[in-house]
Amino acid sequence: MDLIVSTDALTSFCERATKFEFVTVDTEFLRETTYWPRLCLIQVATDDEAVLIDPLAPDIKLAPFFALLADPNVTKVFHAARQDIEIFVKLTGAVPHNIFDTQIAASVCGFGDSASYDSLVRSICKVELDKSSRFTDWSARPLSEKQRTYALADVTWLRDIYRELRKQVEATRRWDWVEDELATLRSIDTYVVRPEQAWERLKMKFNRPRDLAALKALAQWRERRAQETDQPRSRILKDDVLHELASQRPLTPEAFDKLRAIPRGFGRSNAAGEIIALLKEVEALPKSALPPMPERYRGPSPKGAVGDLVRVLLKAVSEQHGVAARIIATSDDIDALVLDDDAEVPALKGWRRKLFGEKALAIKHGRIGLVATRKGIIEFAVNQAEAAE
C-alpha cells in the first residue's frame, strides 16, 4: 500500500492521475470537538493504483492534489460527497470540478434512499466489507495496517460501483435526474454557512415578531462564535437554550439564573454580557424593523388527509420508477405543494413535475384518485365526471 507523506511523492501521483478519465476520492476526518472538520487522511484511486495521502505529515503540501481536484478533464468520484467536499471548500475556497456522487446515482437506479457504500459494494461487487475501523482515531500515527486496508477499500471498490451506476444511468436515460442533484453539490453556497442565515436551520416557531428577531440575532451570534473559536455549536449554546433566550430575553445577569435551560452562574460570563447587549438591541427595535411573521394558512393542513394521499402517491411513483422517494420530493415539498399550486419546490419543476408533481396537484384537486389492486399495486384512476365538476 502506498502512503504518501511528501510533496514530491504526491506530485508524482497526481501527474499520473491526470492521465485517467476518473479518480475515486474519499476522506477520513474528525469533527466531534470542532466546528470545522479536521482532515486526517485522503484516499484516492485511479484505474491501476490506490494511495493514501497523509495531510498530517510534516513534509507535505496538498497543492498538487488540489490541482487535481480542479482539473476539469478528470471526473472526481465520491460516495455521499457532501462532507468530503465541505472539507476541500474550506481548504481551497472552491468546489472540486467535474464531480460525480455514487449515492445520488444509486438513488435514481433503484438502490433506495441514501444507499450506503457498503450496501453498494455488497450488491454490485458481491463483497462484504469489514467496517470495524470506521470510528477509529484517524489522527493517531502511525496508522495501523487494518486502518489502511479499510481506508483503501473506500476508493478501490468505488471504481466498479461508478462504472456500473454510470452504465445504468445511461441505459435509463436519467442523466438529467442525476445532474439536478449534482447541481446542489456543485454550488459553493451548499458549503458556506453564513452566520446571518443560521436561524433558518432551527425548526422553531414563535408567535411574536420580537421573539423571532431575538432568535435571528442569537443564532447569528452563536454561529459566528462557533466559527471563530472552532467549536461545535452545541458547545457554545444548545438549541433549546437559544429558544428560551429568544422567548424570555434576559437583560441582566441575575435574570439568567431564573431560566431553566441556563447553567447557574452563566449570567456573569463574558458570553452572557454579549448576549445581554444583543438582546437590548432587539428590545430597542421599533415595530417597523421587526421581521414579518409568516401568514397563517387557513386552508387544508398539509399534515392532513390531502398530504397523506400525496405521500401515498409519492411512494407509488418511487416504486414504479425505481427512484428513491427523497430524490423526487421531500416532506417539505409535499407540504408546500398542498398549500400552494405554484410553490417554489423541485417537485413542481422539470422531470419531477412530469413524474410526480402534476399527479400530486391532480390528487389535491380531486381530478384523480388512487386504487389499490389485489396485487398491492397502486394505480391512478381518473373520474371524468367528478373532474368535470
Side-chain angles (χ1 to χ4, degrees):
M1 300 180 190
D2 287 328
L3 179 64
I4 294 179
V5 295
S6 72
T7 306
D8 287 346
L10 180 59
T11 300
S12 297
F13 168 75
C14 290
E15 287 175 352
R16 296 192 299 274
T18 59
K19 297 177 172 60
F20 292 88
E21 177 192 343
F22 73 91
V23 296
T24 54
V25 184
D26 191 33
T27 66
E28 303 298 339
F29 57 89
L30 298 177
R31 197 174 196 166
E32 288 79 7
T33 61
T34 60
Y35 181 93
W36 308 107
R38 183 189 181 198
L39 180 61
C40 298
L41 193 68
I42 304 170
Q43 305 98 284
V44 190
T46 66
D47 260 341
D48 61 2
E49 67 179 312
V51 300
L52 303 176
I53 303 168
D54 186 358
L56 304 182
D59 298 320
I60 196 168
K61 301 291 185 185
L62 295 179
F65 176 68
F66 295 152
L68 177 63
L69 291 180
D71 188 336
N73 297 314
V74 181
T75 300
K76 272 64 69 174
V77 180
F78 297 85
H79 180 81
R82 188 162 182 157
Q83 291 190 85
D84 301 315
I85 293 176
E86 180 189 6
I87 293 171
F88 298 136
V89 168
K90 179 70 169 76
L91 293 173
T92 69
V95 177
H97 282 73
N98 195 3
I99 60 175
F100 184 93
D101 190 325
T102 54
Q103 188 175 73
I104 288 175
S107 69
V108 304
C109 292
F111 289 91
D113 189 9
S114 302
S116 67
Y117 178 66
D118 49 320
S119 71
L120 292 180
V121 172
R122 189 181 308 116
S123 59
I124 293 176
C125 307
K126 311 304 179 186
V127 171
E128 194 70 39
L129 292 179
D130 176 6
K131 305 297 286 185
S132 60
S133 296
R134 178 181 296 177
F135 299 113
T136 55
D137 183 359
W138 290 100
S139 66
R141 293 296 183 271
L143 294 170
S144 70
E145 198 69 18
K146 191 173 182 180
Q147 282 180 306
R148 291 165 69 166
T149 300
Y150 164 87
L152 281 174
D154 278 347
V155 289
T156 51
W157 296 112
L158 190 54
R159 297 177 294 200
D160 295 331
I161 291 171
Y162 168 65
R163 292 188 186 96
E164 177 58 28
L165 290 177
R166 184 183 177 94
K167 190 187 306 180
Q168 291 190 28
V169 171
E170 289 173 347
T172 55
R173 299 181 180 179
R174 291 179 176 178
W175 269 113
D176 55 335
W177 300 15
V178 173
E179 287 294 322
D180 267 5
E181 293 298 305
L182 288 177
T184 301
L185 288 180
R186 290 170 179 154
S187 171
I188 197 166
D189 291 337
T190 300
Y191 312 99
V192 177
V193 181
R194 295 178 174 82
E196 63 273 15
Q197 297 173 339
W199 71 277
E200 295 174 357
R201 61 171 290 275
L202 300 169
K203 303 298 182 182
M204 299 180 184
K205 294 182 180 180
F206 292 101
N207 295 321
R208 298 177 298 182
R210 203 169 298 274
D211 292 353
L212 181 57
L215 176 67
K216 288 185 174 184
L218 289 165
Q220 180 174 346
W221 174 85
R222 181 180 71 167
E223 198 73 24
R224 183 173 289 115
R225 192 178 180 94
Q227 291 181 357
E228 290 172 350
T229 61
D230 195 18
Q231 296 183 72
R233 298 181 188 94
S234 60
R235 287 201 177 183
I236 306 298
L237 286 177
K238 296 185 182 299
D239 288 356
D240 62 329
V241 175
L242 283 188
H243 186 278
E244 190 166 9
L245 288 173
S247 57
Q248 299 300 319
R249 297 195 293 284
L251 299 180
T252 65
E254 295 73 25
F256 279 85
D257 291 337
K258 298 178 181 179
L259 303 180
R260 290 184 300 175
I262 306 295
R264 188 161 294 276
F266 178 82
R268 285 163 285 284
S269 66
N270 291 335
E274 295 178 19
I275 291 172
I276 289 172
L278 202 66
L279 293 176
K280 284 182 177 179
E281 292 178 6
V282 172
E283 291 295 336
L285 289 173
K287 287 186 177 180
S288 59
L290 295 176
M293 300 299 291
E295 292 185 15
R296 185 172 294 178
Y297 177 70
R298 303 292 181 182
S301 168
K303 302 299 183 184
V306 174
D308 289 344
L309 282 172
V310 175
R311 286 174 172 82
V312 172
L313 169 70
L314 176 60
K315 181 173 174 56
V317 169
S318 169
E319 291 175 352
Q320 179 185 355
H321 294 277
V323 184
R326 182 189 60 82
I327 295 293
I328 301 172
T330 65
S331 183
D332 287 344
D333 286 352
I334 291 174
D335 290 350
L337 69 83
V338 170
L339 299 178
D340 181 3
D341 285 7
D342 299 313
E344 283 294 316
V345 294
L348 291 179
K349 297 177 181 177
W351 66 268
R352 293 178 177 86
R353 185 179 184 105
K354 294 177 183 177
L355 198 70
F356 166 76
E358 292 290 351
K359 291 171 183 168
L361 294 176
I363 282 181
K364 172 184 172 181
H365 294 290
R367 293 194 294 270
I368 66 173
L370 299 179
V371 177
T373 70
R374 285 179 296 179
K375 294 181 179 180
I377 299 173
I378 302 297
E379 297 179 347
F380 311 112
V382 180
N383 188 319
Q384 296 292 348
E386 291 184 6
E389 294 176 6

